[in-house]
Amino acid sequence: MSSSIDYKLFQLIFDRYTIKPLGSCQKVFETTKSFNEQNGFHHHESFGLIDRDRRTDEEIAHINSPNVWVANVAEVENFLLVEEIVKEVASNMMKDANKVFENVKSNVISFFDSQKEKQALEHSLARIERIFNNATDNSAVKTIGELETSLIGFWDGFKVNDIYVDVLANFQELIDSESYNEILKVFNNKGLVSNSKVISLCDLSTKNNAYLNYIIGILKQNNDKSERIKQAVIEKIDK
């Protein structure tokens, strides 16, 4: 796992596995690969879970790393706002689940709208960084002159503003169409759960990770409710 979110949540969801938080996506890639390459010394198979980290669908499809799963949300904390989970918590708190979710959805979309320019810039920077990493064919470069020529040719055809405009237009389309699930896929913001107002809407405390712990409490019940939460998370992971 690459997220710092309480790993107990995922230990309960993937109860057949031992869960270990590793910090960065690169560490997940490296550890998963290394562990599985040593299968001559053990009989276990390792799987990694990373968040989307501002990757596009195309970039996700081209991840060439066996046994690494990708969360279908921008960051793992966004799992806590998946529709089925919000409704399950609200229902358990004797609230109108549909009404609570509609309020959460509206709050998330409004917050995303207020942050869209900042988010578009951050996504553009991430995309440019990945493009730049592939700016030249290193194997074909033999001299500093060839490197300079290659990079000049790259930058001459590179339109930074076009990337930002394209990302921002896509975000505006998600807002206009109220595409809640798609927004959860691209919205990287540690304050999203708080700004969704899901905690107050469910009459839970804002202290000590009460919302997360409440979900963990439901998962520990091992009943229909916990199974629905498990499935909601599993369905948001590309394997």
Side-chain angles (χ1 to χ4, degrees), residues 162-196:
D162 287 355
I163 293 175
Y164 174 78
V165 169
D166 179 63
V167 173
L168 185 59
N170 175 249
F171 287 177
Q172 188 61 55
E173 184 178 339
L174 298 183
I175 293 164
D176 293 341
S177 60
E178 299 185 348
S179 300
Y180 182 77
N181 289 329
E182 293 299 309
I183 288 173
L184 291 185
K185 283 173 62 174
V186 301
F187 198 0
N188 293 78
N189 189 294
K190 297 297 183 184
L192 185 54
V193 172
S194 175
N195 280 276
S196 75

PDB file of all heavy atoms in Angstrom, residues 162-196:
ATOM      1  N   ASP A 162      -1.626  24.242 -23.682  1.00  0.00           N
ATOM      2  CA  ASP A 162      -2.641  23.343 -24.235  1.00  0.00           C
ATOM      3  C   ASP A 162      -2.987  22.228 -23.252  1.00  0.00           C
ATOM      4  O   ASP A 162      -4.150  21.813 -23.158  1.00  0.00           O
ATOM      5  CB  ASP A 162      -2.153  22.729 -25.553  1.00  0.00           C
ATOM      6  CG  ASP A 162      -2.144  23.733 -26.693  1.00  0.00           C
ATOM      7  OD1 ASP A 162      -2.611  24.874 -26.483  1.00  0.00           O
ATOM      8  OD2 ASP A 162      -1.670  23.387 -27.790  1.00  0.00           O
ATOM      9  N   ILE A 163      -1.981  21.744 -22.536  1.00  0.00           N
ATOM     10  CA  ILE A 163      -2.217  20.684 -21.555  1.00  0.00           C
ATOM     11  C   ILE A 163      -3.114  21.200 -20.433  1.00  0.00           C
ATOM     12  O   ILE A 163      -4.101  20.566 -20.056  1.00  0.00           O
ATOM     13  CB  ILE A 163      -0.884  20.162 -20.987  1.00  0.00           C
ATOM     14  CG1 ILE A 163      -0.094  19.450 -22.079  1.00  0.00           C
ATOM     15  CG2 ILE A 163      -1.122  19.230 -19.793  1.00  0.00           C
ATOM     16  CD1 ILE A 163       1.282  18.995 -21.649  1.00  0.00           C
ATOM     17  N   TYR A 164      -2.785  22.373 -19.904  1.00  0.00           N
ATOM     18  CA  TYR A 164      -3.576  22.957 -18.820  1.00  0.00           C
ATOM     19  C   TYR A 164      -5.017  23.220 -19.268  1.00  0.00           C
ATOM     20  O   TYR A 164      -5.967  22.883 -18.544  1.00  0.00           O
ATOM     21  CB  TYR A 164      -2.937  24.252 -18.338  1.00  0.00           C
ATOM     22  CG  TYR A 164      -3.769  25.000 -17.319  1.00  0.00           C
ATOM     23  CD1 TYR A 164      -3.802  24.592 -15.992  1.00  0.00           C
ATOM     24  CD2 TYR A 164      -4.544  26.100 -17.693  1.00  0.00           C
ATOM     25  CE1 TYR A 164      -4.573  25.272 -15.052  1.00  0.00           C
ATOM     26  CE2 TYR A 164      -5.309  26.780 -16.763  1.00  0.00           C
ATOM     27  CZ  TYR A 164      -5.322  26.359 -15.443  1.00  0.00           C
ATOM     28  OH  TYR A 164      -6.100  27.029 -14.527  1.00  0.00           O
ATOM     29  N   VAL A 165      -5.175  23.802 -20.438  1.00  0.00           N
ATOM     30  CA  VAL A 165      -6.515  24.108 -20.957  1.00  0.00           C
ATOM     31  C   VAL A 165      -7.331  22.832 -21.123  1.00  0.00           C
ATOM     32  O   VAL A 165      -8.519  22.791 -20.795  1.00  0.00           O
ATOM     33  CB  VAL A 165      -6.411  24.865 -22.301  1.00  0.00           C
ATOM     34  CG1 VAL A 165      -7.779  24.951 -22.983  1.00  0.00           C
ATOM     35  CG2 VAL A 165      -5.851  26.263 -22.082  1.00  0.00           C
ATOM     36  N   ASP A 166      -6.688  21.777 -21.608  1.00  0.00           N
ATOM     37  CA  ASP A 166      -7.372  20.498 -21.818  1.00  0.00           C
ATOM     38  C   ASP A 166      -7.809  19.897 -20.485  1.00  0.00           C
ATOM     39  O   ASP A 166      -8.947  19.422 -20.349  1.00  0.00           O
ATOM     40  CB  ASP A 166      -6.442  19.542 -22.561  1.00  0.00           C
ATOM     41  CG  ASP A 166      -7.086  18.190 -22.797  1.00  0.00           C
ATOM     42  OD1 ASP A 166      -8.098  18.133 -23.506  1.00  0.00           O
ATOM     43  OD2 ASP A 166      -6.571  17.174 -22.267  1.00  0.00           O
ATOM     44  N   VAL A 167      -6.914  19.923 -19.490  1.00  0.00           N
ATOM     45  CA  VAL A 167      -7.243  19.365 -18.173  1.00  0.00           C
ATOM     46  C   VAL A 167      -8.373  20.166 -17.523  1.00  0.00           C
ATOM     47  O   VAL A 167      -9.340  19.600 -16.998  1.00  0.00           O
ATOM     48  CB  VAL A 167      -6.005  19.353 -17.254  1.00  0.00           C
ATOM     49  CG1 VAL A 167      -6.399  18.939 -15.831  1.00  0.00           C
ATOM     50  CG2 VAL A 167      -4.936  18.417 -17.800  1.00  0.00           C
ATOM     51  N   LEU A 168      -8.282  21.487 -17.577  1.00  0.00           N
ATOM     52  CA  LEU A 168      -9.306  22.335 -16.967  1.00  0.00           C
ATOM     53  C   LEU A 168     -10.658  22.138 -17.639  1.00  0.00           C
ATOM     54  O   LEU A 168     -11.700  22.088 -16.963  1.00  0.00           O
ATOM     55  CB  LEU A 168      -8.884  23.811 -17.050  1.00  0.00           C
ATOM     56  CG  LEU A 168      -9.802  24.811 -16.343  1.00  0.00           C
ATOM     57  CD1 LEU A 168      -9.923  24.480 -14.857  1.00  0.00           C
ATOM     58  CD2 LEU A 168      -9.291  26.234 -16.536  1.00  0.00           C
ATOM     59  N   ALA A 169     -10.669  22.010 -18.948  1.00  0.00           N
ATOM     60  CA  ALA A 169     -11.926  21.775 -19.684  1.00  0.00           C
ATOM     61  C   ALA A 169     -12.550  20.444 -19.277  1.00  0.00           C
ATOM     62  O   ALA A 169     -13.773  20.345 -19.111  1.00  0.00           O
ATOM     63  CB  ALA A 169     -11.660  21.806 -21.184  1.00  0.00           C
ATOM     64  N   ASN A 170     -11.704  19.443 -19.096  1.00  0.00           N
ATOM     65  CA  ASN A 170     -12.196  18.142 -18.650  1.00  0.00           C
ATOM     66  C   ASN A 170     -12.806  18.231 -17.254  1.00  0.00           C
ATOM     67  O   ASN A 170     -13.879  17.668 -16.986  1.00  0.00           O
ATOM     68  CB  ASN A 170     -11.060  17.123 -18.660  1.00  0.00           C
ATOM     69  CG  ASN A 170     -11.473  15.775 -18.085  1.00  0.00           C
ATOM     70  OD1 ASN A 170     -11.028  15.384 -17.015  1.00  0.00           O
ATOM     71  ND2 ASN A 170     -12.332  15.059 -18.785  1.00  0.00           N
ATOM     72  N   PHE A 171     -12.150  18.975 -16.367  1.00  0.00           N
ATOM     73  CA  PHE A 171     -12.673  19.137 -15.009  1.00  0.00           C
ATOM     74  C   PHE A 171     -13.999  19.888 -15.024  1.00  0.00           C
ATOM     75  O   PHE A 171     -14.923  19.563 -14.270  1.00  0.00           O
ATOM     76  CB  PHE A 171     -11.657  19.882 -14.140  1.00  0.00           C
ATOM     77  CG  PHE A 171     -10.460  19.052 -13.751  1.00  0.00           C
ATOM     78  CD1 PHE A 171      -9.424  19.617 -13.016  1.00  0.00           C
ATOM     79  CD2 PHE A 171     -10.362  17.710 -14.106  1.00  0.00           C
ATOM     80  CE1 PHE A 171      -8.329  18.855 -12.639  1.00  0.00           C
ATOM     81  CE2 PHE A 171      -9.264  16.944 -13.746  1.00  0.00           C
ATOM     82  CZ  PHE A 171      -8.247  17.526 -13.010  1.00  0.00           C
ATOM     83  N   GLN A 172     -14.110  20.914 -15.873  1.00  0.00           N
ATOM     84  CA  GLN A 172     -15.356  21.668 -15.964  1.00  0.00           C
ATOM     85  C   GLN A 172     -16.484  20.784 -16.471  1.00  0.00           C
ATOM     86  O   GLN A 172     -17.634  20.884 -16.013  1.00  0.00           O
ATOM     87  CB  GLN A 172     -15.184  22.876 -16.892  1.00  0.00           C
ATOM     88  CG  GLN A 172     -16.381  23.812 -16.891  1.00  0.00           C
ATOM     89  CD  GLN A 172     -16.656  24.401 -15.518  1.00  0.00           C
ATOM     90  OE1 GLN A 172     -15.773  25.011 -14.908  1.00  0.00           O
ATOM     91  NE2 GLN A 172     -17.875  24.215 -15.010  1.00  0.00           N
ATOM     92  N   GLU A 173     -16.158  19.890 -17.378  1.00  0.00           N
ATOM     93  CA  GLU A 173     -17.170  18.948 -17.894  1.00  0.00           C
ATOM     94  C   GLU A 173     -17.658  18.023 -16.787  1.00  0.00           C
ATOM     95  O   GLU A 173     -18.859  17.728 -16.690  1.00  0.00           O
ATOM     96  CB  GLU A 173     -16.568  18.132 -19.038  1.00  0.00           C
ATOM     97  CG  GLU A 173     -17.558  17.188 -19.698  1.00  0.00           C
ATOM     98  CD  GLU A 173     -16.950  16.424 -20.868  1.00  0.00           C
ATOM     99  OE1 GLU A 173     -15.925  16.883 -21.414  1.00  0.00           O
ATOM    100  OE2 GLU A 173     -17.507  15.370 -21.225  1.00  0.00           O
ATOM    101  N   LEU A 174     -16.754  17.573 -15.934  1.00  0.00           N
ATOM    102  CA  LEU A 174     -17.146  16.721 -14.812  1.00  0.00           C
ATOM    103  C   LEU A 174     -18.061  17.463 -13.852  1.00  0.00           C
ATOM    104  O   LEU A 174     -19.020  16.897 -13.320  1.00  0.00           O
ATOM    105  CB  LEU A 174     -15.902  16.221 -14.058  1.00  0.00           C
ATOM    106  CG  LEU A 174     -14.905  15.356 -14.825  1.00  0.00           C
ATOM    107  CD1 LEU A 174     -13.775  14.903 -13.896  1.00  0.00           C
ATOM    108  CD2 LEU A 174     -15.586  14.156 -15.453  1.00  0.00           C
ATOM    109  N   ILE A 175     -17.775  18.743 -13.635  1.00  0.00           N
ATOM    110  CA  ILE A 175     -18.596  19.569 -12.750  1.00  0.00           C
ATOM    111  C   ILE A 175     -19.979  19.781 -13.355  1.00  0.00           C
ATOM    112  O   ILE A 175     -21.003  19.601 -12.681  1.00  0.00           O
ATOM    113  CB  ILE A 175     -17.904  20.925 -12.485  1.00  0.00           C
ATOM    114  CG1 ILE A 175     -16.619  20.716 -11.674  1.00  0.00           C
ATOM    115  CG2 ILE A 175     -18.850  21.890 -11.756  1.00  0.00           C
ATOM    116  CD1 ILE A 175     -15.686  21.907 -11.689  1.00  0.00           C
ATOM    117  N   ASP A 176     -20.007  20.147 -14.630  1.00  0.00           N
ATOM    118  CA  ASP A 176     -21.287  20.430 -15.295  1.00  0.00           C
ATOM    119  C   ASP A 176     -22.181  19.195 -15.365  1.00  0.00           C
ATOM    120  O   ASP A 176     -23.413  19.302 -15.268  1.00  0.00           O
ATOM    121  CB  ASP A 176     -21.031  20.959 -16.707  1.00  0.00           C
ATOM    122  CG  ASP A 176     -20.360  22.332 -16.706  1.00  0.00           C
ATOM    123  OD1 ASP A 176     -20.418  23.017 -15.662  1.00  0.00           O
ATOM    124  OD2 ASP A 176     -19.772  22.703 -17.742  1.00  0.00           O
ATOM    125  N   SER A 177     -21.561  18.029 -15.530  1.00  0.00           N
ATOM    126  CA  SER A 177     -22.335  16.794 -15.643  1.00  0.00           C
ATOM    127  C   SER A 177     -22.536  16.111 -14.296  1.00  0.00           C
ATOM    128  O   SER A 177     -23.144  15.041 -14.220  1.00  0.00           O
ATOM    129  CB  SER A 177     -21.636  15.821 -16.602  1.00  0.00           C
ATOM    130  OG  SER A 177     -20.340  15.487 -16.133  1.00  0.00           O
ATOM    131  N   GLU A 178     -22.013  16.742 -13.229  1.00  0.00           N
ATOM    132  CA  GLU A 178     -22.114  16.214 -11.863  1.00  0.00           C
ATOM    133  C   GLU A 178     -21.615  14.767 -11.792  1.00  0.00           C
ATOM    134  O   GLU A 178     -22.234  13.888 -11.168  1.00  0.00           O
ATOM    135  CB  GLU A 178     -23.546  16.320 -11.349  1.00  0.00           C
ATOM    136  CG  GLU A 178     -24.057  17.760 -11.278  1.00  0.00           C
ATOM    137  CD  GLU A 178     -25.433  17.875 -10.666  1.00  0.00           C
ATOM    138  OE1 GLU A 178     -26.105  16.825 -10.508  1.00  0.00           O
ATOM    139  OE2 GLU A 178     -25.832  18.993 -10.326  1.00  0.00           O
ATOM    140  N   SER A 179     -20.473  14.532 -12.394  1.00  0.00           N
ATOM    141  CA  SER A 179     -19.900  13.178 -12.465  1.00  0.00           C
ATOM    142  C   SER A 179     -19.128  12.879 -11.179  1.00  0.00           C
ATOM    143  O   SER A 179     -17.887  12.969 -11.135  1.00  0.00           O
ATOM    144  CB  SER A 179     -18.993  13.054 -13.690  1.00  0.00           C
ATOM    145  OG  SER A 179     -19.724  13.295 -14.872  1.00  0.00           O
ATOM    146  N   TYR A 180     -19.854  12.512 -10.165  1.00  0.00           N
ATOM    147  CA  TYR A 180     -19.289  12.326  -8.825  1.00  0.00           C
ATOM    148  C   TYR A 180     -18.150  11.309  -8.805  1.00  0.00           C
ATOM    149  O   TYR A 180     -17.069  11.580  -8.267  1.00  0.00           O
ATOM    150  CB  TYR A 180     -20.398  11.895  -7.872  1.00  0.00           C
ATOM    151  CG  TYR A 180     -19.966  11.704  -6.439  1.00  0.00           C
ATOM    152  CD1 TYR A 180     -19.742  12.789  -5.594  1.00  0.00           C
ATOM    153  CD2 TYR A 180     -19.809  10.416  -5.915  1.00  0.00           C
ATOM    154  CE1 TYR A 180     -19.361  12.617  -4.280  1.00  0.00           C
ATOM    155  CE2 TYR A 180     -19.423  10.227  -4.589  1.00  0.00           C
ATOM    156  CZ  TYR A 180     -19.201  11.325  -3.776  1.00  0.00           C
ATOM    157  OH  TYR A 180     -18.816  11.154  -2.477  1.00  0.00           O
ATOM    158  N   ASN A 181     -18.378  10.139  -9.384  1.00  0.00           N
ATOM    159  CA  ASN A 181     -17.349   9.095  -9.355  1.00  0.00           C
ATOM    160  C   ASN A 181     -16.087   9.518 -10.097  1.00  0.00           C
ATOM    161  O   ASN A 181     -14.968   9.200  -9.671  1.00  0.00           O
ATOM    162  CB  ASN A 181     -17.898   7.797  -9.954  1.00  0.00           C
ATOM    163  CG  ASN A 181     -18.923   7.137  -9.047  1.00  0.00           C
ATOM    164  OD1 ASN A 181     -18.853   7.255  -7.823  1.00  0.00           O
ATOM    165  ND2 ASN A 181     -19.888   6.460  -9.634  1.00  0.00           N
ATOM    166  N   GLU A 182     -16.256  10.225 -11.200  1.00  0.00           N
ATOM    167  CA  GLU A 182     -15.097  10.694 -11.961  1.00  0.00           C
ATOM    168  C   GLU A 182     -14.328  11.773 -11.188  1.00  0.00           C
ATOM    169  O   GLU A 182     -13.103  11.848 -11.271  1.00  0.00           O
ATOM    170  CB  GLU A 182     -15.536  11.228 -13.325  1.00  0.00           C
ATOM    171  CG  GLU A 182     -16.083  10.166 -14.268  1.00  0.00           C
ATOM    172  CD  GLU A 182     -15.035   9.104 -14.577  1.00  0.00           C
ATOM    173  OE1 GLU A 182     -13.908   9.469 -14.955  1.00  0.00           O
ATOM    174  OE2 GLU A 182     -15.348   7.914 -14.427  1.00  0.00           O
ATOM    175  N   ILE A 183     -15.050  12.575 -10.431  1.00  0.00           N
ATOM    176  CA  ILE A 183     -14.387  13.597  -9.611  1.00  0.00           C
ATOM    177  C   ILE A 183     -13.557  12.931  -8.520  1.00  0.00           C
ATOM    178  O   ILE A 183     -12.428  13.346  -8.239  1.00  0.00           O
ATOM    179  CB  ILE A 183     -15.419  14.571  -9.019  1.00  0.00           C
ATOM    180  CG1 ILE A 183     -15.980  15.479 -10.135  1.00  0.00           C
ATOM    181  CG2 ILE A 183     -14.797  15.425  -7.911  1.00  0.00           C
ATOM    182  CD1 ILE A 183     -17.114  16.371  -9.703  1.00  0.00           C
ATOM    183  N   LEU A 184     -14.083  11.866  -7.910  1.00  0.00           N
ATOM    184  CA  LEU A 184     -13.307  11.136  -6.908  1.00  0.00           C
ATOM    185  C   LEU A 184     -12.033  10.542  -7.521  1.00  0.00           C
ATOM    186  O   LEU A 184     -11.042  10.344  -6.814  1.00  0.00           O
ATOM    187  CB  LEU A 184     -14.139  10.012  -6.291  1.00  0.00           C
ATOM    188  CG  LEU A 184     -15.318  10.415  -5.398  1.00  0.00           C
ATOM    189  CD1 LEU A 184     -15.954   9.174  -4.789  1.00  0.00           C
ATOM    190  CD2 LEU A 184     -14.896  11.384  -4.300  1.00  0.00           C
ATOM    191  N   LYS A 185     -12.043  10.282  -8.818  1.00  0.00           N
ATOM    192  CA  LYS A 185     -10.869   9.729  -9.490  1.00  0.00           C
ATOM    193  C   LYS A 185      -9.766  10.757  -9.689  1.00  0.00           C
ATOM    194  O   LYS A 185      -8.581  10.398  -9.777  1.00  0.00           O
ATOM    195  CB  LYS A 185     -11.253   9.157 -10.869  1.00  0.00           C
ATOM    196  CG  LYS A 185     -11.948   7.815 -10.816  1.00  0.00           C
ATOM    197  CD  LYS A 185     -12.442   7.399 -12.182  1.00  0.00           C
ATOM    198  CE  LYS A 185     -11.335   7.230 -13.192  1.00  0.00           C
ATOM    199  NZ  LYS A 185     -11.830   6.696 -14.487  1.00  0.00           N
ATOM    200  N   VAL A 186     -10.111  12.032  -9.765  1.00  0.00           N
ATOM    201  CA  VAL A 186      -9.107  13.051 -10.112  1.00  0.00           C
ATOM    202  C   VAL A 186      -8.840  14.072  -9.008  1.00  0.00           C
ATOM    203  O   VAL A 186      -7.868  14.823  -9.087  1.00  0.00           O
ATOM    204  CB  VAL A 186      -9.508  13.806 -11.400  1.00  0.00           C
ATOM    205  CG1 VAL A 186      -9.648  12.842 -12.571  1.00  0.00           C
ATOM    206  CG2 VAL A 186     -10.802  14.603 -11.208  1.00  0.00           C
ATOM    207  N   PHE A 187      -9.680  14.110  -7.973  1.00  0.00           N
ATOM    208  CA  PHE A 187      -9.587  15.160  -6.964  1.00  0.00           C
ATOM    209  C   PHE A 187      -8.629  14.744  -5.848  1.00  0.00           C
ATOM    210  O   PHE A 187      -8.979  13.975  -4.950  1.00  0.00           O
ATOM    211  CB  PHE A 187     -10.970  15.442  -6.395  1.00  0.00           C
ATOM    212  CG  PHE A 187     -11.094  16.771  -5.675  1.00  0.00           C
ATOM    213  CD1 PHE A 187     -10.026  17.648  -5.553  1.00  0.00           C
ATOM    214  CD2 PHE A 187     -12.307  17.146  -5.109  1.00  0.00           C
ATOM    215  CE1 PHE A 187     -10.146  18.858  -4.899  1.00  0.00           C
ATOM    216  CE2 PHE A 187     -12.442  18.361  -4.442  1.00  0.00           C
ATOM    217  CZ  PHE A 187     -11.351  19.208  -4.342  1.00  0.00           C
ATOM    218  N   ASN A 188      -7.410  15.282  -5.886  1.00  0.00           N
ATOM    219  CA  ASN A 188      -6.409  15.039  -4.845  1.00  0.00           C
ATOM    220  C   ASN A 188      -6.474  16.170  -3.827  1.00  0.00           C
ATOM    221  O   ASN A 188      -5.953  17.253  -4.066  1.00  0.00           O
ATOM    222  CB  ASN A 188      -5.000  14.990  -5.444  1.00  0.00           C
ATOM    223  CG  ASN A 188      -4.792  13.806  -6.353  1.00  0.00           C
ATOM    224  OD1 ASN A 188      -5.237  13.797  -7.496  1.00  0.00           O
ATOM    225  ND2 ASN A 188      -4.107  12.797  -5.856  1.00  0.00           N
ATOM    226  N   ASN A 189      -7.088  15.927  -2.695  1.00  0.00           N
ATOM    227  CA  ASN A 189      -7.187  16.958  -1.658  1.00  0.00           C
ATOM    228  C   ASN A 189      -7.454  16.284  -0.317  1.00  0.00           C
ATOM    229  O   ASN A 189      -8.474  15.621  -0.137  1.00  0.00           O
ATOM    230  CB  ASN A 189      -8.299  17.952  -1.984  1.00  0.00           C
ATOM    231  CG  ASN A 189      -8.295  19.150  -1.064  1.00  0.00           C
ATOM    232  OD1 ASN A 189      -8.533  19.040   0.129  1.00  0.00           O
ATOM    233  ND2 ASN A 189      -8.004  20.325  -1.626  1.00  0.00           N
ATOM    234  N   LYS A 190      -6.527  16.454   0.624  1.00  0.00           N
ATOM    235  CA  LYS A 190      -6.648  15.803   1.927  1.00  0.00           C
ATOM    236  C   LYS A 190      -7.828  16.330   2.735  1.00  0.00           C
ATOM    237  O   LYS A 190      -8.249  15.706   3.705  1.00  0.00           O
ATOM    238  CB  LYS A 190      -5.357  16.002   2.734  1.00  0.00           C
ATOM    239  CG  LYS A 190      -4.124  15.361   2.118  1.00  0.00           C
ATOM    240  CD  LYS A 190      -4.262  13.859   2.028  1.00  0.00           C
ATOM    241  CE  LYS A 190      -2.990  13.228   1.488  1.00  0.00           C
ATOM    242  NZ  LYS A 190      -3.138  11.758   1.307  1.00  0.00           N
ATOM    243  N   GLY A 191      -8.391  17.469   2.334  1.00  0.00           N
ATOM    244  CA  GLY A 191      -9.527  18.027   3.055  1.00  0.00           C
ATOM    245  C   GLY A 191     -10.867  17.650   2.465  1.00  0.00           C
ATOM    246  O   GLY A 191     -11.899  18.197   2.861  1.00  0.00           O
ATOM    247  N   LEU A 192     -10.878  16.701   1.530  1.00  0.00           N
ATOM    248  CA  LEU A 192     -12.120  16.385   0.824  1.00  0.00           C
ATOM    249  C   LEU A 192     -13.176  15.791   1.745  1.00  0.00           C
ATOM    250  O   LEU A 192     -14.349  16.171   1.681  1.00  0.00           O
ATOM    251  CB  LEU A 192     -11.829  15.435  -0.348  1.00  0.00           C
ATOM    252  CG  LEU A 192     -13.018  15.099  -1.248  1.00  0.00           C
ATOM    253  CD1 LEU A 192     -13.683  16.367  -1.774  1.00  0.00           C
ATOM    254  CD2 LEU A 192     -12.576  14.205  -2.405  1.00  0.00           C
ATOM    255  N   VAL A 193     -12.795  14.854   2.600  1.00  0.00           N
ATOM    256  CA  VAL A 193     -13.769  14.243   3.507  1.00  0.00           C
ATOM    257  C   VAL A 193     -14.380  15.314   4.401  1.00  0.00           C
ATOM    258  O   VAL A 193     -15.598  15.364   4.589  1.00  0.00           O
ATOM    259  CB  VAL A 193     -13.121  13.126   4.346  1.00  0.00           C
ATOM    260  CG1 VAL A 193     -14.089  12.640   5.430  1.00  0.00           C
ATOM    261  CG2 VAL A 193     -12.704  11.955   3.457  1.00  0.00           C
ATOM    262  N   SER A 194     -13.539  16.187   4.936  1.00  0.00           N
ATOM    263  CA  SER A 194     -14.032  17.258   5.806  1.00  0.00           C
ATOM    264  C   SER A 194     -14.985  18.184   5.060  1.00  0.00           C
ATOM    265  O   SER A 194     -16.059  18.527   5.569  1.00  0.00           O
ATOM    266  CB  SER A 194     -12.846  18.059   6.356  1.00  0.00           C
ATOM    267  OG  SER A 194     -13.294  19.172   7.100  1.00  0.00           O
ATOM    268  N   ASN A 195     -14.606  18.586   3.852  1.00  0.00           N
ATOM    269  CA  ASN A 195     -15.427  19.521   3.084  1.00  0.00           C
ATOM    270  C   ASN A 195     -16.685  18.881   2.513  1.00  0.00           C
ATOM    271  O   ASN A 195     -17.610  19.597   2.117  1.00  0.00           O
ATOM    272  CB  ASN A 195     -14.602  20.136   1.960  1.00  0.00           C
ATOM    273  CG  ASN A 195     -13.706  21.261   2.435  1.00  0.00           C
ATOM    274  OD1 ASN A 195     -14.130  22.398   2.559  1.00  0.00           O
ATOM    275  ND2 ASN A 195     -12.452  20.924   2.732  1.00  0.00           N
ATOM    276  N   SER A 196     -16.739  17.567   2.487  1.00  0.00           N
ATOM    277  CA  SER A 196     -17.945  16.883   2.012  1.00  0.00           C
ATOM    278  C   SER A 196     -19.075  17.006   3.028  1.00  0.00           C
ATOM    279  O   SER A 196     -20.240  16.790   2.698  1.00  0.00           O
ATOM    280  CB  SER A 196     -17.655  15.397   1.769  1.00  0.00           C
ATOM    281  OG  SER A 196     -17.562  14.688   3.000  1.00  0.00           O
TER     282      SER A 196
END
